[in-house]
Amino acid sequence: MNRLSGEEWQGGHYLSVPLSSHTHTNAHLQRHTRTHTHTHTHTFTLSRVVPSVAALMTWLHSAAFTRRLARSIAYLFPSGLFDNKAKPLMKHPDEVFPKQRAVQWGADGRPFHFLFYTGKQSYYSLMHDTFTKALAVEKHQDRLRGKGLFTQDAKQISLVGSRWLLKEELEELLVETISDHDYARFIQLMERLLSLPYCSAEEDFVQRYRRQLEIQSSKQQVQPLQYDQHGVAYSTGDGRRKTATGTVLLRDSGSGSISINGTNYVHYFPVLQDREQLMFPLHFMGVLGRFDMQCSVSGGGHSSQAGALRLAISRAMLSFLSEGQVETMRQAGLLTPDPRIKERKKPGQEGARRKFTWKKR
Amino acid sequence: MLYFGKQIIEISFALWHLPESLPRGLRGTTFSKMSASITGLLKPWTPRVFLVRWSRYNPYYLEPEPRKEVYHIPETELTPEQKEERELKSVRPIKAATNSVTSSVFNDPVLSKFVNMMMKDGDKIIAKGIITQTLENMKRKQVEKYHKAPEGKKAEIECNPYAIFHQALENCKPVIGLASIQKGGKFYQVPIPLTDNRRRFLAMKWMITECRDNKHRRTLMYEKLSQELLAAFSKEGNVVKRKHELHKMAESNRAYAHYRWW
């Protein structure tokens, strides 16, 4: 890290100034060479013996010397200041400075765009284009109706995995500010275009104003399966619910026994609802008797402990399942941590919702 | 509704309340005045403006589907709406399943709602115990009746306590309700249509209040409840009588029906 050669340093520092710009160094060096006779050789010697002062000056002003000196200083005085990672993180100028419009009128003062005097030329021209396309599609439909070839089940644009551009994104695209009302009108007009049966002709235009949504199941982190010394597959998972935390060690041994904090699950959870919650992920996937579970849980009450263990079991099971099954479990609501907590008490009220008794006087 | 600007309130209203009737392009959309990204909507969320009914889930989250058989339908047998719903679910986050919900065949949402309504001070164990005893009691009575009945009548006697429960509740549900509407300084009882949820709620509420109030002090809750449910199953008993009274009141107040403006 410290043995950087001179050229690797960027925004070079004191060494970027060439030595020849210092007018006093020449005299200093001359004095130095006259009085200081080197009788001993030291490790930092020049690779070639310098016969004369002129040659020495040439060497001292060379790029190779600068590089060598830089490396030596970096070695002798290691400093994290000049590290690559210590460089100031600066954004690209495009991110810092907002996009600005070029001048919208010519030398004669006449604006280029025909909608310049509306004040929001890009927005209105976009609306104009969209409406033109809608009219074109309607004309096409009328022509088809005239020929008798009109069918309701024409190919439709698939819109399910995407969303409309947000107002901020649209503003960025148009490089001008629009109001909420304008944005709403734009969305309305697009919806109108999409309501026409033969709108698939304008699919490219529509998709330009839509963004793809990412598939949620790809966000699940699935740990790889581990194997113990007997070759039995196992995995761990942990879950939380309210203040309870639970961990589970799931083993693919085939006995179906469950032990929680050392005791059998029937003794630990005497309530049927809690045991059902433990069985829920296993029953849902149809693997009730397959896994052996060692659970540990603490905090909360019996219900939240059961919920924490259910989440831990679902997460541990993911390692044993395929992609489609993971998505099914997610849609069943087994992989989302329950965010519900006890609602806080508010000042001026007795509890979270309960108000103080109303007294007339 | 206060969360979004007034100008786009119609879009937000549509998305929040009527997902089925959305225009095609708005499915799978999100919108935010505050941030330009969706990542803020994927966390436990406390709204800026606290409406009375708010949840820790963002409106972006969808309800979970815990039943197993829904996921075993092959691709070919899905209707286009179901296919679209599946695609929508693949891009949206899903809420966590609650504690009382499982994929088991014995999981009944109506029964769970009834247990919750019976519950006092959060004591679900006792409420669930009472319901279990009620169902057992109903089964015992029906089986006794079955064995005592002559051969021809045996097939008509329903022994499944869950079926009896559902049918009894169905028989208790009112069709039309009354609302107190103020007009010209006086309050009138105006007949109004009821939603399914409201009807189910009224049936359960009447059943529970009937069993709590109108019984001999020595009879236990499950005993009285099983008696009432069996009576409601055969369209007798106090709860069904109360439903009929409500219908009669609505019929008698027919003249004021035009006071309803929605």
Side-chain angles (χ1 to χ4, degrees), chain A residues 157 277 303 310 330 336, chain B residues 24 68 89 94 97 99 103:
Chain A
I157 306 177
Q277 286 297 294
S303 217
R310 185 187 88 183
R330 187 188 75 87
T336 322
Chain B
R24 287 181 57 237
K68 262 165 87 163
K89 280 204 158 186
I94 310 275
N99 257 10
S103 58

Side-chain angles (χ1 to χ4, degrees), chain B residues 210-226:
Chain B
E210 166 67 35
C211 296
R212 278 181 188 164
D213 302 338
N214 300 350
K215 59 180 168 76
H216 182 62
R217 66 172 186 88
R218 291 296 296 267
T219 45
L220 295 172
M221 184 68 180
Y222 73 87
E223 178 64 45
K224 173 71 179 168
L225 192 55
S226 56

Side-chain angles (χ1 to χ4, degrees), chain A residues 274-291:
Chain A
D274 301 335
R275 293 199 298 275
E276 274 182 337
Q277 286 297 294
L278 286 187
M279 289 199 294
F280 183 9
L282 304 173
H283 175 263
F284 185 76
M285 283 286 115
V287 290
L288 266 177
R290 180 172 148 192
F291 294 110

